[in-house]
Each structure stands twice: as C-alpha cells, then as structure tokens.
Amino acid sequence: MFIDPGRLEIRLRDEFGGTKGQSRVVVRQAVDLADSGQYTADVGATLTNDVVIEELSDAPEGAPTDRWNWWIGSLEIAYGGYGRFGIQRYQNRE
C-alpha cells in the first residue's frame, strides 16, 4: 500500500487543520482511491501520501474534506469516474 493511513491522517491535520473526523474520512477515501487503481491508470503515477498532500495544497482554503472534494472534482472534470470518491457526509468526531 502506498498510502500510509496513520501518517496521512497526521499530515492532513498538521497541514490543513480540521478535526480528526475530517482527516479520517479523507484518509479512508484516499485508501479507496489508491486501491481502485483508477488514479494510477489515469494519471500514470502512484497515489502516495505526498501526492495527496501536494494536491490538497493547491486547493483553496478549507478543511481537509473541502480540499479533498475540490481535488476529486478536478479529477472528475479531467477524467470522469471520480465522483464516488467524493465526501458527502462524515461524523465530526474529535
């Protein structure tokens, strides 16, 4: 696995703030995206923690979930088929 969930969760909060609930749901979606192979097939690169952080850094201000949805929306426009990786709801637990 190229996504290290524990480290990604910490990096998301360090870089973008937000709650544990927000960072955890982004991590779950990132793992699902990596496992699907769709990103690698479309972009030709492996999805890693560094890629997620770099891509979310390009997003406008916002919590990790906002940034994730912005990036997923960009991938949806560019390639299609990414809507299922968007975040609709999550439990906001600290």
Side-chain angles (χ1 to χ4, degrees), residues 10-58:
I10 291 166
R11 287 188 66 194
L12 286 166
R13 283 198 309 275
D14 287 348
E15 295 282 333
F16 310 118
T19 66
K20 286 182 183 180
Q22 290 170 330
S23 59
R24 285 181 181 156
V25 73
V26 170
V27 168
R28 283 193 300 272
Q29 294 304 94
V31 168
D32 288 350
L33 178 55
D35 287 349
S36 77
Q38 185 172 344
Y39 180 83
T40 300
D42 288 339
V43 178
T46 302
L47 187 61
T48 64
N49 288 3
D50 289 339
V51 169
V52 171
I53 296 297
E54 182 178 321
E55 294 294 347
L56 271 57
S57 293
D58 289 341

